[in-house]
Amino acid sequence: MTEQHSHQFERGTDGPKVIVVGVHGSDSSLRAAAYAAGLARRQHALLAAVYVQPVMAAGAATGAPVADTTDEIAEDLVKQIREASQRLKGLYEVRWEFHTFRGDPYTGLVKAADDLKADAVVVGASEQAGHRIIGSVAVRLVKAGRWPVTVVP
C-alpha cells in the first residue's frame, strides 16, 4: 500500500519575495548589500535596504547635531545605491527600496522585516570587538528565529 501526499508543488512560489538588508556605510554592510542585491536579482525579489539612524541621547545633550549627521548618512547611502543601480542597468535589474528607521539597529531591522513581511534578512558581520562579548545585531537576529538570516563577512 502506498501513501498519497496531499500537497502539490507550486511553480514560481519558492524563494524569497522580500529581502531586507541592513546598511550603514561600513565595509561589511556594503558587502552585505551587494550579496543581497545578487540574491534579490536571482530570486526576482524586492531588495529593501534599511538604514537605522541611531538615537544618541548623550550626543544630543551636548549639542551635537546627531539627527543632521544621520540624515546625511542616509542620503549618502541612497546616492550610493542609486549609482550602483545605474551602473548595472541593463546587465542586472534589481527592484529596490530604501527605508530609514530611528533607534537601535536590532529593533529597527526587526520592525523593517516585520513591516515589509521579509522572507530573509541579510546583514554584515560586526566589525566591533565588543560585540563578541555582548552580542552583535546579527546574532540577535538569528536568535530571534523569525527569518532566515545571512551574515556576510
Side-chain angles (χ1 to χ4, degrees):
M1 179 173 221
T2 61
E3 240 179 83
Q4 296 218 339
H5 296 284
S6 62
H7 72 328
Q8 299 248 341
F9 177 78
E10 296 179 47
R11 180 178 294 255
T13 59
D14 292 340
K17 297 293 179 219
V18 178
I19 299 168
V20 167
V21 61
V23 293
H24 55 83
S26 72
D27 288 344
S28 67
S29 82
L30 295 176
R31 285 190 297 270
Y35 178 87
L39 183 59
R41 178 186 58 80
R42 289 186 299 277
Q43 296 291 330
H44 305 287
L46 172 67
L47 176 64
V50 176
Y51 170 59
V52 181
Q53 298 183 21
V55 177
M56 295 178 251
T62 61
V66 176
D68 291 344
T69 301
T70 59
D71 286 343
E72 288 173 20
I73 292 170
E75 289 170 17
D76 185 55
L77 289 168
V78 170
K79 181 181 167 195
Q80 288 180 47
I81 294 168
R82 279 198 181 113
E83 288 172 355
S85 295
Q86 287 302 318
R87 281 194 307 271
L88 299 174
K89 198 164 190 77
L91 295 172
Y92 302 110
E93 297 296 326
V94 176
R95 292 180 306 123
W96 64 275
E97 300 175 348
F98 184 79
H99 301 269
T100 61
F101 293 86
R102 289 194 188 272
D104 73 275
Y106 171 76
T107 304
L109 286 171
V110 166
K111 179 164 177 34
D114 284 345
D115 289 356
L116 298 168
K117 296 179 177 37
D119 297 300
V121 177
V122 179
V123 292
S126 175
E127 296 176 351
Q128 297 179 353
H131 286 173
R132 290 186 199 116
I133 299 166
I134 60 171
S136 67
V137 171
V139 169
R140 292 173 66 195
L141 288 167
V142 169
K143 286 183 178 179
R146 292 162 62 181
W147 324 267
V149 177
T150 302
V151 182
V152 177

